[in-house]
Amino acid sequence: MSEMEIKSLEERFNQRIANDEKIEAKDWMPEKYRKTHIRQISQHAHSEIVGMLPEGNWITRCPTLRRKVALLAKVQDEGGHGLYLYSAAETLGISREELIDQLLSGEAKYSSIFNYPALTWADMGAIGWLVDGAAIMNQVALINTSYGPYSRAMIRICKEESFHQRQGYEIMMALMNGTQEQRDMAQDALNRWWWPSLMMFGPRDAESPNTEQSMRWKLKRKTNDELRQAFVDQTVPQAELIGLRIPDDKLKWNEERKHYDFGDIDWEEFWQVVNGHGPCNKQRLEARRKAHEDGAWVRDAAMAYAEKHANKTYRQAV
Amino acid sequence: MSKELIQYICTVADNNLILGQRLGELCGHGPNIETDIALTNIGLDLFGQVRSYFQYAAKLEGGNSSEDTFAFLRKENEYKNVLLVEQPNTDFAYTIVRQFLYDVYHIRFMENLQKSSDETLAAIAAKGVKEVAYHARFSADWVRRLGDGTEESHRRAQQALDDLYTYTDELFHQNESELSLVNAGIAVNTAQFKSDYYQTIHAVFAEATLTVPDQKYFLKGGKKGIHSEHMGYILTEMQYMQRTYPNMQW
Amino acid sequence: MKDWPLWEVFIRSKNGLEHRHCGSLHATDAQMALENARDVYTRRSEGVSIWVVPSAMITASQPEESGELFEPAADKAYRHPTFYVLPDELKHM
């Protein structure tokens, strides 16, 4: 294809997106669109899978059976969401195995928030309330993204995630209705998770070079700073309602802007964790690597069995 | 009668509770996402049944007891699960073989419990029997895949079977109070499906090209509250919150 | 080591409705694909029936053919009821 032809294809492609048409797997797309989507969708998928670990850490220690089934179902959902997203990425011509290799080699990124440790039961509340709350803000915007398979995965995920945030908030609420010790536990969890949650929206707009392109492709509907502001505005009243204090002395309602003003994020910490030096980066990747390596013989066995029995019809089990 | 019934409910529910706890350890660490999700579904089914059993036990006991006092606040020797379900997730083969050895028992148990003269137990079984039928199908399929898969998977599955088979006989032990409930039409007489159980598992192991160990001695004790050394650690983790922060609402 | 093949999953949400494509997953054989689909895609009672098809078995029309395949239908307005002019008094037909 000549450069001219590619250019005109690209123009038509951009026009289709501008007209709110969806792009589907087999449609022509600029190479950069494909690559960016593989990167973003797989990053999203990896975040779901690595995101199972901090909460998974508490499944065996939930305080009640009711909490246990809720947490187990929530962590399982994250696995499901990872699967939907890997499938969406696979429509762009990359295999699950390649995607997982990218995660395990450290080449691909995942949300930095999961590199923080889940230390107390209240962290299950804080993660559900804040981390899922922040994730949902991003994800709802992505329902209208231009790439069809990604958009459909988002619809499904948003529908299923609606219980996750409530699950977390309810845990916090129960703690705040409990003893002083429980209230302290809840406040401590908020203190530790608040700033990392704000970091989830990424660098400031001025330092986010891909925003413009991503906006055009509807991979982003709002800028990092807009989403962060919306999250703060939404979350502060929720904290106040149950008597939690946001750990930010500069936090104040700005009547003129009709938004909360809030303090500075520690960007040095942000980059430290993004670049692999957070409290749990090594541990998280190690856990994923171990699961994948320990599972290799299992996956091989199932494949070998299927090949041996390719001609047999299914037998009734037990 | 009520005391014996509560004992019986614990004997039944503790198997699910401890096995569910073992499966919970694996969530997020499965061989791939599909299998991870499937195993977690089984865990969720088991915990769901546990909740129904313990809610019933708490109602019978009255006072301040609840599903959670039963699940979290007993001493080790008051848990009456069989030794089989507390065995560790040594590798995926152990997890699957342990599951299969339990599922084949569990499905027959639930089928019979549906006929219990105790309406609540019969209702729990009627709901659970479909869940357990799926578990048995899932684990049997995986026993075949591992046994008749690769050389390595065969070796690992055989090892798991060799090590876990010794715990099967205890599934069929019945203590005296259990027998009196059998006579009252409340408890399941497990003896009546013991030979069917062994026939079924042996048939699946044969399909899976696995050799059933020539076992003369079987290990037992859990049903009497005498557990393996694993149990203390399971409970330490499971009871951590309730022990560290007693008498609180969560 | 070989990757598990990809399967497409179709779910009928209730009798009377068609099966709809809802996503994909990996499995080694049809039976496992069916079970994985049950565990992954019907966790919230989304279905009463599942179809699974190896992704490689699906033949798809290509976007480049869209012109010849689909555009010719666009100007056949006579296939639609609004093409026909009827008296206003006739309310329903």
Side-chain angles (χ1 to χ4, degrees), chain A residues 258-277:
Chain A
K258 299 282 180 212
H259 288 296
Y260 281 94
D261 291 337
F262 54 96
D264 293 325
I265 287 168
D266 180 350
W267 292 109
E268 206 180 303
E269 178 182 320
F270 173 81
W271 290 113
Q272 177 181 340
V273 183
V274 168
N275 290 323
H277 305 286

Side-chain angles (χ1 to χ4, degrees), chain B residues 54-55 57-59 61-73:
Chain B
F54 284 157
Q55 281 163 9
K59 202 173 105 189
E61 185 154 289
N64 290 327
S65 67
S66 70
E67 61 178 67
D68 293 320
T69 58
F70 278 96
F72 298 100
L73 290 173

Side-chain angles (χ1 to χ4, degrees), chain A residues 26-28 76-77 80-81 83-84 87 90 95-98 156 160-161 163-164 296 298-300 302-303 305-307 314, chain C residues 1-6 21-29 31-32 35 39-44 46 60-64:
Chain A
K26 285 187 172 305
D27 292 348
W28 182 88
Q76 183 196 41
D77 266 357
H81 298 168
L83 190 151
Y84 306 157
S87 300
E90 281 175 275
S95 70
R96 164 108 56 99
E97 198 62 24
E98 288 172 284
R156 205 178 174 89
E160 296 189 350
E161 279 207 345
F163 99 79
H164 293 185
V298 179
R299 297 191 300 275
D300 285 350
M303 206 58 234
Y305 179 85
E307 280 167 0
Y314 173 69
Chain C
M1 184 175 35
K2 251 190 182 163
D3 282 354
W4 288 10
L6 194 64
H21 183 244
C22 70
S24 48
L25 47 75
H26 290 268
T28 53
D29 55 55
Q31 188 56 33
M32 193 207 273
E35 290 173 8
D39 285 320
V40 171
Y41 288 105
T42 67
R43 300 199 301 285
R44 290 175 170 80
E46 290 95 334
S61 66
Q62 299 301 308
E64 303 86 69

Side-chain angles (χ1 to χ4, degrees), chain A residues 60 67 76 96 288 299 309, chain B residues 28 31 34 41 148 237 250:
Chain A
T60 55
R67 293 292 180 209
Q76 183 196 41
R96 164 108 56 99
R288 286 314 314 155
R299 297 191 300 275
H309 297 271
Chain B
E34 284 84 351
N41 266 350
D148 195 15
E237 243 182 283
W250 302 96

Side-chain angles (χ1 to χ4, degrees), chain A residues 91-160:
Chain A
T91 62
L92 290 163
I94 187 163
S95 70
R96 164 108 56 99
E97 198 62 24
E98 288 172 284
L99 293 167
I100 289 175
D101 284 346
Q102 290 176 359
L103 170 69
L104 300 184
S105 72
E107 183 191 337
K109 297 250 177 287
Y110 57 87
S111 181
S112 273
I113 191 85
F114 303 117
N115 291 318
Y116 288 88
L119 300 176
T120 73
W121 170 248
D123 289 25
M124 297 304 98
I127 291 175
W129 172 37
L130 302 173
V131 177
D132 285 80
I136 289 166
M137 298 216 99
N138 269 318
Q139 288 171 170
V140 167
L142 282 171
I143 284 180
N144 294 313
T145 195
S146 65
Y147 188 54
Y150 193 25
S151 155
R152 289 193 288 275
M154 280 295 93
I155 292 172
R156 205 178 174 89
I157 289 172
C158 286
K159 209 153 89 187
E160 296 189 350

Side-chain angles (χ1 to χ4, degrees), chain B residues 66-101:
Chain B
S66 70
E67 61 178 67
D68 293 320
T69 58
F70 278 96
F72 298 100
L73 290 173
R74 283 177 291 154
K75 303 249 173 3
E76 178 173 325
N77 62 11
E78 291 167 337
Y79 287 84
K80 305 292 182 192
N81 56 282
V82 292
L83 296 176
L84 174 69
V85 295
E86 65 198 53
Q87 299 310 306
N89 299 313
T90 307
D91 65 12
F92 189 75
Y94 275 78
T95 302
I96 288 298
V97 172
R98 181 186 66 203
Q99 190 66 41
F100 175 67
L101 293 175

